[in-house]
Amino acid sequence: MTWSIIARDRNTGQFGVAVATRFFAVGALAPHLKSRVGAVATQALVNVFYGTEGLRLLEQGAGAKEVVATVTAADAGRDHRQVHIIDAQGRTAAYTGASCIDWCGQFAGDNFSVAGNMLAGARVVEETAAAYTKNAVLPFARRLIAAMRAGEAAGGDKRGKQSAALVICGEEDWADLNLRVDDHAEPLAELERLERVSRERFVHFMDMLPRRSDRVGITDRDIIESKLAQAQAQNQNQAQAHERKS
């Protein structure tokens, strides 16, 4: 099952995974990320140890290729698995087992990787990768979703649609953004809507929480509401400017 994109944003150093499938709650199993360490997407007949063990090895300093070789070698069921990994340097590696169901395969790009199985065809991965490359001017979250939407337009999971997820990690020990659509007729469209809603207040509120550089954060509610109002006004102005250009 599944196709996904993993990436490292050159501008922010963030890691991201976006994934979609005709399977319930893919966000609970497939994406694994750790700030300043890397990201793993494990799919097909999922082995979650690829994610947990993969992140542990990355944190110990192993590169993406070494991690893929290590986790697959330890798994007698590897022929049924698919995994791809990006490390702290933006290097990627992938594995698609011989028993994965066609179409199955992967594409390695500059600081990103796309992989999938049980897809409508190779164009799903190709269009996902092409859209990610083309949309470099977009903010990271929107760029990942746009890539997945392009893959869906090329056929996506050949069985249909059910769930999707987007997880992004930056400098902190928790996710900057963690969105899941567990059961929906149009999961990627819903994921796109949730990301849009997150920009209204959530992502700006996250900026005011305690963090490595400031263990207290902002606690004055008047300041919080003022900053949120400023952010919302800026978002509206940007949206209006985009509409005028369109």
Side-chain angles (χ1 to χ4, degrees), residues 2-237:
T2 307
W3 91 102
S4 59
I5 180 169
I6 60 173
R8 176 180 177 273
D9 185 60
R10 284 182 173 275
N11 297 323
T12 64
Q14 291 175 310
F15 293 102
V17 176
V19 56
T21 187
R22 178 63 173 93
F23 188 82
F24 178 73
V26 69
L29 298 175
H32 300 263
L33 301 87
K34 190 162 186 176
S35 301
R36 305 175 304 280
V37 172
V40 181
T42 176
Q43 46 207 45
L45 289 183
V46 172
N47 185 336
V48 179
F49 286 112
Y50 284 16
T52 57
E53 182 69 5
L55 288 180
R56 185 185 69 81
L57 292 169
L58 288 174
E59 192 167 22
Q60 291 176 350
K65 288 184 179 180
E66 181 183 353
V67 173
V68 167
T70 300
V71 298
T72 54
D75 179 18
R78 57 186 171 272
D79 281 355
H80 302 275
R81 322 287 191 202
Q82 186 175 59
V83 62
H84 55 149
I85 293 176
I86 188 165
D87 62 26
Q89 288 71 45
R91 298 170 301 194
T92 65
Y95 170 84
T96 298
S99 296
C100 287
I101 298 173
D102 281 339
W103 189 88
C104 56
Q106 65 274 337
F107 174 90
D110 180 16
N111 276 260
F112 77 94
S113 171
V114 182
N117 62 95
M118 295 190 78
L119 302 181
R123 284 191 62 244
V124 177
V125 165
E126 292 166 359
E127 293 299 321
T128 303
Y132 184 78
T133 301
K134 180 179 70 175
N135 288 303
V137 298
L138 289 178
F140 192 37
R142 277 173 267 176
R143 188 180 181 190
L144 291 167
I145 294 174
M148 293 297 292
R149 294 279 285 186
E152 181 176 73
D157 186 327
K158 67 183 180 182
R159 300 162 302 165
K161 312 167 188 177
Q162 187 169 6
S163 69
L166 171 69
V167 186
I168 293 176
C169 287
E171 287 298 313
E172 307 305 326
D173 293 335
W174 52 87
D176 291 344
L177 193 62
N178 190 342
L179 304 177
R180 280 177 49 177
V181 179
D182 287 344
D183 182 27
H184 198 280
E186 294 292 339
L188 281 173
E190 177 65 4
L191 191 68
E192 188 172 48
R193 186 191 70 82
L194 290 174
E195 190 281 325
R196 187 165 59 250
V197 172
S198 79
R199 285 182 261 138
E200 294 175 4
R201 289 179 66 92
F202 177 77
V203 296
H204 309 295
F205 180 73
M206 289 286 286
D207 286 340
M208 292 178 267
L209 295 179
R211 54 188 55 245
R212 289 175 176 273
S213 59
D214 178 4
R215 290 300 180 112
V216 178
I218 297 175
T219 58
D220 187 312
R221 292 180 180 274
D222 290 335
I223 294 175
I224 291 172
E225 289 302 323
S226 175
K227 285 183 174 291
L228 289 174
Q230 291 173 16
Q232 286 176 310
Q234 184 178 10
N235 284 343
Q236 289 173 356
N237 291 337

